[in-house]
Amino acid sequence: MVLLGDEFPNFEAETTVGKIKFHDWLGDGWGILFSHPSDYTPVCTTELARVANLIPEFAKRNVKVIALSCDSVISHHGWINDIKSFGGIIGDGFPYPIIADENRELAVQLGMLDPAEKDAKGLPLTCRAVFVINPEKKLALSILYPATTGRNFDEILRIIDSLQLTASKKVATPVDWKPGNECMILPSLSEDDAQKNFPRYSSVKVPSGKNYIRLTKEV
């Protein structure tokens, strides 16, 4: 298992765009690796089509996207035609690569197997994992969904906005935050430093009298 803050494995893998070494493929920006249980399955088709249509949004955030399942590259290439048809995606090619993890090495290494879901041979399928990797090649976020629950990629874009903001500013994002909403000044920032960095911040009074809920739009 890779934990938050760990360097993400620099694995080599066969993909729909050829063999890659992950760190080289990722470059200097952010990345998302997301797994799906199996090719030619309904929920997975909706997810990969949605991601394909959201590639311009990921590109705005300097995020590269790569998918993974335990099927072969040949299977992936055949399935891509269905994904493009379902998503109304026109033109040649496909906007992001899909990893072929036929021997399940990456699925095991990254803790992505779902024991409750098995293929026709009785082997466990990969769950719906999401890994966000920062420019330092470290794991910034991980989410594991069961195979039966499709992901919300609008939420994943929101998460990336939060991760990128909080990586450069001394703030945290509160519940249901969206870009443009108020942020919370980190509790570790002293009152003096809070005033210097966010001179127009406001505080929320609470019964304890402690001044720890400090809000700002100055980010």
Side-chain angles (χ1 to χ4, degrees):
M1 290 288 291
V2 184
L3 302 178
L4 290 180
D6 287 352
E7 183 175 284
F8 205 79
N10 189 22
F11 60 82
E12 294 186 7
E14 295 292 343
T15 79
T16 49
V17 297
K19 192 168 186 176
I20 66 163
K21 193 164 186 176
F22 185 65
H23 288 188
D24 293 339
W25 172 83
L26 186 59
D28 297 327
W30 293 72
I32 292 182
L33 188 156
F34 69 101
S35 63
H36 58 272
S38 185
D39 295 359
Y40 298 105
T41 53
V43 176
C44 300
T45 302
T46 66
E47 288 191 322
L48 270 74
R50 176 65 172 150
V51 172
N53 283 310
L54 284 174
I55 286 298
E57 291 299 320
F58 287 112
K60 285 180 190 176
R61 295 161 172 83
N62 193 27
V63 177
K64 296 183 75 172
V65 174
I66 191 165
L68 175 149
S69 89
C70 295
D71 297 288
S72 68
V73 169
I74 293 174
S75 174
H76 292 343
H77 278 300
W79 183 39
I80 280 172
N81 294 322
D82 290 357
I83 297 167
K84 291 173 67 175
S85 175
F86 181 86
I89 302 159
I90 59 175
D92 296 331
F94 195 64
Y96 59 91
I98 307 174
I99 296 168
D101 188 30
E102 290 185 89
N103 58 13
R104 289 168 166 74
E105 281 187 8
L106 278 173
V108 171
Q109 182 181 5
L110 299 175
M112 296 189 297
L113 291 178
D114 185 345
E117 297 292 325
K118 295 181 172 58
D119 65 14
K121 298 178 182 178
L123 296 172
L125 297 171
T126 47
C127 65
R128 301 185 193 281
V130 180
F131 298 108
V132 179
I133 301 98
N134 67 22
E136 288 71 46
K137 310 296 187 295
K138 293 182 178 179
L139 180 64
L141 176 137
S142 65
I143 312 174
L144 298 179
Y145 295 74
T148 50
T149 300
R151 287 160 283 206
N152 183 328
F153 282 93
D154 289 326
E155 166 63 4
I156 291 169
L157 286 171
R158 189 193 75 89
I159 287 170
I160 292 167
D161 287 334
S162 173
L163 290 172
Q164 293 184 340
L165 174 65
T166 57
S168 61
K169 304 290 185 179
K170 297 179 185 294
V171 295
T173 56
V175 63
D176 297 333
W177 174 87
K178 293 180 180 178
N181 291 357
E182 286 185 310
C183 298
M184 311 189 95
I185 299 171
L186 294 178
S188 58
L189 207 64
S190 70
E191 290 296 327
D192 287 344
D193 286 339
Q195 189 65 45
K196 289 176 184 176
N197 285 275
F198 311 102
R200 292 183 294 276
Y201 83 83
S202 61
S203 297
V204 177
K205 292 183 179 180
V206 290
S208 68
K210 297 180 183 296
N211 187 33
Y212 64 93
I213 303 180
R214 302 175 294 180
L215 302 174
T216 181
K217 281 193 172 180
E218 300 173 273
V219 291

